[in-house]
């Protein structure tokens, strides 16, 4: 018997969630956070204009292009990308402070950003969310009612390019029924915490 065995809860894991626009990433993540408060969502920086109901510091930190590029110059982002003509980036310090507290941190980011994280943070857990069908994706993005017809078309065109990156991810989750998709992501998060390579023991 090893008397000094002591299993510690270590730093949190970085969980990267991507998928085509309108698949339900935001909806699934919000449901997950509401039910399981031991996971936090990183708040990204963006130059996109706030949608109706969005608040600075809640959905995003909204910046001008100049402010964003200044932060990028100072290496303030773990990753950044230009998506649909706007810049988006993950604030590094914010993510580190969440992980340091032992909380898992969700990043809801596009595939370009996810590939940057993969090279910088190889212990990240990469999850790709897909719709049950193309028709359902079109229905969801149209029914959301937050984009013009031109914006919707841009997002649908990009969906195919994004799907091509699926093979670089560790897990794929179909967002058919919201509750099922949320519980699958929860199961992945819990299983990842149990990986022998992640347990901090002495
Ligand atoms: P994303 O963050 O991936 O762009 P959203 O979370 O904004 O997508 O979801 C797009 C739309 O689809 C929203 O109107 C949302 O209510 C709806 N939605 C999300 N998940 C589901 C689901 N499982 N079933 C039906 N509608 C969904
Ligand atoms: P939306 O404008 O609809 O909120 O997001 C558009 C796209 O930008 C989505 O694919 C979303 O995942 C991605 N995105 C949001 N935040 C970030 C980020 O910090 N970095 C990157 N690379 N993509 C992001």
């Amino acid at each position: 018997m090893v008397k000094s065995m002591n299993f510690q809860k270590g730093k949190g894991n970085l969980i990267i969630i991507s998928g085509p626009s309108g698949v339900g990433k935001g909806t699934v993540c919000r449901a997950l956070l509401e039910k399981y408060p031991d996971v936090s969502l990183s708040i990204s920086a963006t130059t996109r204009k706030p949608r109706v109901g969005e608040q600075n510091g809640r959905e995003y930190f909204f910046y001008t292009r100049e402010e964003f590029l200044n932060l990028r110059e100072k290496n303030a982002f773990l990753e950044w990308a230009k998506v649909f003509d706007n810049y988006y980036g993950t604030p590094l310090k914010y993510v580190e402070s969440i992980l340091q507290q032992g909380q898992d941190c969700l990043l809801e980011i596009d595939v370009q950003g996810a590939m940057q994280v993969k090279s910088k943070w190889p212990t990240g857990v990469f999850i790709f969310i897909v719709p049950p069908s193309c028709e359902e994706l079109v229905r969801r993005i149209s029914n959301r009612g937050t984009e013009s017809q031109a914006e919707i078309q841009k997002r649908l065109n990009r969906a195919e390019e994004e799907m091509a990156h699926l093979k670089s991810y560790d897990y794929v989750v179909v967002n058919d029924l919201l509750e099922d998709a949320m519980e699958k992501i929860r199961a992945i998060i819990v299983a990842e915490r149990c990986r022998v390579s992640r347990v901090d023991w002495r």
Side-chain angles (χ1 to χ4, degrees):
M1 178 74 172
V2 186
K3 285 194 184 129
S4 63
M5 200 178 280
N6 183 12
F7 288 91
Q8 304 277 337
K9 188 170 184 289
K11 269 178 44 169
N13 294 325
L14 195 57
I15 316 288
I16 297 89
I17 308 236
S18 304
S21 183
V23 72
K25 301 180 293 296
T27 308
V28 174
C29 287
R30 274 195 301 277
L32 185 78
L33 262 58
E34 213 162 277
K35 185 159 177 193
Y36 301 106
D38 56 350
V39 179
S40 294
L41 181 65
S42 162
I43 302 172
S44 294
T46 184
T47 58
R48 135 159 118 56
K49 297 271 169 289
R51 291 182 185 135
V52 175
E54 285 184 337
Q55 270 177 32
N56 191 29
R58 193 178 65 186
E59 282 80 12
Y60 283 102
F61 293 108
F62 295 99
Y63 290 111
T64 63
R65 196 180 128 93
E66 195 185 9
E67 287 168 336
F68 187 98
L69 294 178
N70 245 323
L71 287 167
R72 191 184 73 176
E73 198 64 31
K74 291 182 182 143
N75 292 322
F77 300 127
L78 166 61
E79 60 72 37
W80 65 272
K82 201 170 183 189
V83 190
F84 310 124
D85 304 327
N86 283 301
Y87 288 105
Y88 292 82
T90 302
L92 179 59
K93 282 212 176 108
Y94 189 78
V95 168
E96 280 178 338
S97 75
I98 291 172
L99 298 178
Q100 207 57 50
Q101 290 162 36
Q103 286 255 325
D104 288 342
C105 181
L106 293 187
L107 301 186
E108 194 211 304
I109 62 177
D110 89 312
V111 290
Q112 306 170 70
M115 294 307 104
Q116 292 170 45
V117 177
K118 198 161 187 184
S119 63
K120 290 187 188 164
W121 210 293
T123 55
V125 179
F126 293 79
I127 306 175
F128 200 90
I129 305 188
V130 294
S133 67
C134 290
E135 293 75 19
E136 178 61 14
L137 181 66
V138 175
R139 208 171 302 135
R140 283 184 193 171
I141 197 165
S142 308
N143 288 349
R144 188 169 64 184
T146 50
E147 272 86 20
S148 65
Q149 202 50 47
E151 279 295 320
I152 290 175
Q153 202 48 55
K154 240 192 245 177
R155 283 160 194 258
L156 290 174
N157 292 344
R158 206 181 134 78
E160 207 170 327
E161 280 168 45
E162 296 203 317
M163 292 292 290
H165 287 83
L166 178 60
K167 285 203 210 79
S168 305
Y169 284 70
D170 301 310
Y171 298 96
V172 61
V173 170
V174 181
N175 180 21
D176 191 351
L177 293 178
L178 177 63
E179 177 84 7
D180 288 356
M182 191 254 293
E183 292 299 347
K184 279 180 189 158
I185 293 177
R186 175 65 181 175
I188 294 166
I189 290 173
V190 173
E192 287 290 337
R193 283 183 193 156
C194 300
R195 271 193 193 276
V196 170
S197 59
R198 295 193 199 272
V199 178
D200 178 17
W201 67 285
R202 54 202 84 173

